[in-house]
Amino acid sequence: MIRAKPLNLSTLLEQHALLPSQPRAVALLSSELRQLEPGMRSLVQLFSTDPVLTARMLAVANGPVHQLAQRVHSIPEALVVLAPVQLRQLVQKSAPTGATHTQGGWSLAGFWRYSLDTARIARALAMSVQANASAAYTLGLLHGLGQLLLRTADPETFVRLAELLEPMHPKRPEVETQLMGYCTGQITAHLARQWNFPLLMSDAFQYMNTPLEQPTFEPLTGVLHLAIWRASTRALNWSERQLAVSFPAEAGLALGMDIDMVLRQASINWYAANSLDVQF
């Protein structure tokens, strides 16, 4: 039996409506938004747990209706721009999923946990280099949308990739490019452009695997790169030796950080990933 070819990038991007949200986040947000005056802190915390809801919120906030002088980079900024009725419509149109099965060595629960871990690490690293911590959190939370879209819209290719290399391995982008002609980071970057995200964000996604190739090095791209490395290696349960060998030293040097500094900044409560303790 001849397997189908991977979807081309344009076709894959057209499937973005399939991106699923966490049922729990949708339910809690729906409840909060039914309040006469929804609490800002609760909204920030709830949106901050779900990559897809956050992405769709930023897309609306950066849309032509608002015509802002400066585009929105973070969840708190978007909540200032959008009215409760817009947030209710956004949540109502979301596509929650009850699917929890593992596919290609990768589960939705694991993806959401990994995305939140990456976001928290990115925020901690950004604070240590005086970069925008809220923007770094958002980048970390959303960076895996390309992988989520590939899994949702082209599961056969996703499984084929998993047979070659596990989804969170640092070398995975190279394997994706060999098989598909593009990597999932590029999918995320194209989604960001499609949704009119700030250039800083789409560029960070475009170069998140190769931050030193960015025409002008952007600290937030370097921060995202290091956060992805740490969250991935944590999820893969790599040993100290594997960490030392794989550490992206050049990106660390560009930010003035060595491996000990990154590991220290990233020492968070990994098992609180499903709690609502996001702070800004």
Side-chain angles (χ1 to χ4, degrees), residues 8-253:
N8 64 50
L9 184 55
S10 296
T11 302
L12 192 68
L13 292 169
E14 292 171 357
Q15 310 301 312
H16 68 81
L18 298 174
L19 285 167
S21 297
Q22 298 181 69
R24 180 172 181 267
V26 171
L28 291 174
L29 275 166
S30 297
S31 177
E32 183 64 32
L33 288 166
R34 282 196 294 268
Q35 304 299 318
L36 188 60
E37 294 186 10
M40 176 64 78
R41 178 177 173 80
S42 294
L43 291 176
V44 169
Q45 291 176 327
L46 290 168
F47 273 106
S48 296
T49 64
D50 191 277
V52 175
L53 287 172
T54 293
R56 300 204 184 285
M57 179 172 64
L58 289 176
V60 175
N62 286 300
V65 172
H66 297 284
Q67 296 182 343
L68 301 174
Q70 292 186 330
R71 293 184 190 174
V72 171
H73 294 78
S74 68
I75 295 165
E77 291 172 357
L79 288 172
V80 170
V81 171
L82 300 179
V85 64
Q86 292 174 295
L87 297 174
R88 281 194 289 271
Q89 291 171 350
L90 184 153
V91 173
Q92 288 169 359
K93 292 178 181 178
S94 64
T97 178
T100 57
H101 66 281
T102 298
Q103 184 180 48
W106 192 89
S107 68
L108 282 175
F111 168 75
W112 287 321
R113 183 168 56 250
Y114 160 75
S115 297
L116 191 50
D117 287 345
T118 308
R120 287 170 166 165
I121 297 169
R123 179 180 57 198
L125 295 177
M127 292 175 67
S128 70
V129 296
Q130 288 77 53
N132 186 321
S134 290
Y137 185 97
T138 307
L139 289 171
L141 186 68
L142 304 188
H143 84 278
L145 285 177
Q147 196 165 100
L148 179 61
L149 182 57
L150 181 66
R151 180 191 189 272
T152 305
D154 193 357
E156 183 178 352
T157 297
F158 190 89
V159 171
R160 288 172 63 190
L161 282 165
E163 291 170 354
L164 299 172
L165 195 65
E166 50 203 333
M168 293 181 187
H169 196 288
K171 298 293 185 182
R172 172 69 174 245
E174 299 172 17
V175 176
E176 293 172 347
T177 302
Q178 289 171 2
L179 179 65
M180 302 188 298
Y182 56 87
C183 69
T184 52
Q186 290 173 298
I187 301 174
T188 306
H190 279 279
L191 286 172
R193 296 187 191 102
Q194 189 169 295
W195 291 330
N196 204 35
F197 284 9
L199 184 61
L200 179 148
M201 297 185 72
S202 58
D203 279 357
F205 295 137
Q206 183 72 33
Y207 292 98
M208 64 185 183
N209 299 312
T210 55
L212 297 181
E213 292 182 11
Q214 195 166 4
T216 301
F217 178 72
E218 165 56 52
L220 278 174
T221 306
V223 162
L224 177 60
H225 183 69
L226 292 180
I228 293 169
W229 168 80
R230 185 60 189 113
S232 298
T233 55
R234 173 70 190 192
L236 295 169
N237 197 30
W238 278 14
S239 66
E240 289 186 8
R241 182 181 180 280
Q242 288 174 303
L243 291 177
V245 170
S246 66
F247 178 66
E250 291 185 352
L253 182 63

